[in-house]
Amino acid sequence: MKIAVPTSGKILDEFMNSCEVFTIFTMDETNKIVETEILCTPEGCDCKNNIPLTLQQKGVTVVLAYKLPDYAENICKQHGIRAYQGYSGVVSEVIDNFLVWLKRENT
């Protein structure tokens, strides 16, 4: 699984539609981080441009965000990406919290 988080420094960027960077986490089969990649979005991230396609091409299947523009969830879904909202704070803690939630959902 690959998880993308709009990032500003070490904090989740609350404004996904204008973020400049995504941090992409590659997880192994036990949901441990095995790789981290920074994806720069020089035009700013906007689901009306090609960022969902770029994320899909990188194998991303999950996006964690604070809030998404109205159209973003459907566009992400069209590219095989599931978007989860309501996240904020330090990116490493956001990932940890999501994985805890995911584990509970799958048991």
Side-chain angles (χ1 to χ4, degrees):
M1 167 173 53
K2 284 192 175 185
I3 303 170
V5 180
T7 307
S8 177
K10 294 184 178 189
I11 305 295
L12 183 141
D13 190 333
E14 292 185 4
F15 301 101
M16 182 176 160
N17 61 335
S18 63
C19 78
E20 294 180 8
V21 172
F22 272 93
T23 304
I24 300 174
F25 297 90
T26 302
M27 315 305 288
D28 69 10
E29 59 279 346
T30 64
N31 285 334
K32 293 193 190 240
I33 298 170
V34 294
E35 185 180 349
T36 304
E37 175 185 355
I38 300 297
L39 172 66
C40 296
T41 58
E43 298 174 12
C45 171
D46 188 343
C47 288
K48 290 181 180 177
N49 67 21
N50 67 352
I51 196 66
L53 175 61
T54 302
L55 292 173
Q56 178 190 40
Q57 290 170 339
K58 292 201 164 279
V60 171
T61 56
V62 172
V63 169
L64 304 179
Y66 174 69
K67 187 176 178 185
L68 295 171
D70 293 336
Y71 53 83
E73 190 169 355
N74 284 334
I75 292 173
C76 286
K77 188 184 287 186
Q78 290 171 7
H79 288 87
I81 299 169
R82 180 118 188 237
Y84 296 90
Q85 298 184 65
Y87 288 91
S88 63
V90 177
V91 171
S92 60
E93 294 173 8
V94 167
I95 291 292
D96 290 343
N97 290 337
F98 174 73
L99 293 174
V100 167
W101 173 83
L102 188 63
K103 185 176 182 179
R104 280 190 302 223
E105 285 293 304
N106 292 328
T107 56

